[in-house]
Amino acid sequence: YAVSIKLLLSVVFAYLFVMLIHKNRERFNFIIPYVEFRRERKGGSAVLVDTSAVIDGRLAELCESHIIEGPLVVPRFVLRELQSLADSGDKLKRARGRRGIDMLNHLRKGSSVTVQIDEGQVPGGPDVDAKLIKLADTLGARIITTDVNLSKIANVQGIQVININEVANAVRPLVMPGEILSPELLRGGEAPGQAVGYMDDGTMIVVENASHLIGS
């Protein structure tokens, strides 16, 4: 009698376990592939690359400066978004998508940072930002982006974010009131009489009533 009860319980628990795995198969497929990734990763924590960061031309310079130590991880859904942009009928979107793909190829050929293409399936709809945050939380990774809204939402959920625009502002040279600058004025501005020049870091300077000084 006792043996029959044990056998019955074993069958019941085995059935419940199989049903649990079946109902949560997407969650297990999402989690399991990253176990080996976490174990083998070396150096700094991984950095998930947002579409906006791939398109931004400053990502390569950040990597070459060794500010980013961890591997760059590009999720497959980010690649799909880039491909969608590159195939767009809108000329501007098409140019942005192709620039992003060229940037990735440039990064993968360089030796300054490791670039990994992540094939993991992330549950959820087509919202790339939500998928990035979920993936970053699962991997314990950071996100690099230029998207202000993505940065805010990720920070609220405890995800570390590298915002390229904030990095650029942090390294921009300080200019004090009364300091004398000598930029070369290259072209006219939007308003009549304006002339435009640039600082060494690329910061644009607009000078009023100086259109007659363009070229000096």
Side-chain angles (χ1 to χ4, degrees):
Y1 181 77
V3 174
S4 299
I5 293 178
K6 290 182 179 179
L7 180 60
L8 179 61
L9 289 175
S10 298
V11 172
V12 171
F13 281 120
Y15 174 78
L16 292 175
F17 180 77
V18 171
M19 292 302 297
L20 176 65
I21 294 296
H22 178 71
K23 290 183 178 181
N24 296 275
R25 59 188 181 276
E26 290 185 358
R27 186 177 302 174
F28 278 92
N29 288 336
F30 169 57
I31 296 174
I32 290 175
Y34 301 119
V35 174
E36 184 177 359
F37 172 79
R38 280 176 173 268
R39 186 185 306 123
E40 293 182 351
R41 193 176 65 216
K42 298 180 181 179
S45 61
V47 179
L48 292 180
V49 184
D50 178 37
T51 308
S52 64
V54 179
I55 295 174
D56 192 283
R58 296 168 293 181
L59 181 58
E61 296 179 2
L62 281 177
C63 294
E64 291 171 0
S65 67
H66 302 289
I67 292 178
I68 300 175
E69 296 180 353
L72 291 180
V73 179
V74 184
R76 177 61 63 179
F77 54 83
V78 168
L79 287 180
R80 285 197 292 266
E81 187 175 37
L82 280 175
Q83 188 62 55
S84 176
L85 289 172
D87 295 336
S88 173
D90 184 277
K91 183 177 180 181
L92 179 59
K93 290 183 178 179
R94 187 166 61 247
R96 286 167 58 83
R98 291 177 179 177
R99 182 172 66 179
I101 293 173
D102 291 341
M103 173 62 68
L104 276 182
N105 288 329
H106 174 72
L107 288 171
R108 296 194 73 180
K109 292 178 181 178
S111 58
S112 56
V113 69
T114 302
V115 179
Q116 301 172 356
I117 305 300
D118 183 86
E119 301 287 352
Q121 298 296 320
V122 182
D127 189 345
V128 172
D129 289 357
K131 288 184 176 182
L132 270 173
I133 292 174
K134 189 174 185 64
L135 185 57
D137 184 53
T138 300
L139 298 179
R142 297 172 291 170
I143 297 175
I144 186 166
T145 183
T146 63
D147 190 330
V148 176
N149 291 326
L150 173 59
S151 299
K152 291 179 179 179
I153 296 173
N155 285 328
V156 168
Q157 300 187 45
I159 306 297
Q160 292 187 355
V161 177
I162 303 172
N163 190 306
I164 296 178
N165 292 327
E166 292 179 358
V167 174
N169 289 333
V171 299
R172 179 173 295 172
L174 296 177
V175 180
M176 303 302 294
E179 184 176 349
I180 297 177
L181 304 176
S182 300
E184 180 182 1
L185 302 181
L186 302 176
R187 59 180 177 82
E190 295 183 357
Q194 289 181 340
V196 174
Y198 295 89
M199 295 176 62
D200 292 338
D201 70 327
T203 301
M204 184 174 68
I205 297 176
V206 179
V207 185
E208 300 289 347
N209 303 317
S211 57
H212 63 287
L213 298 175
I214 292 176
S216 61

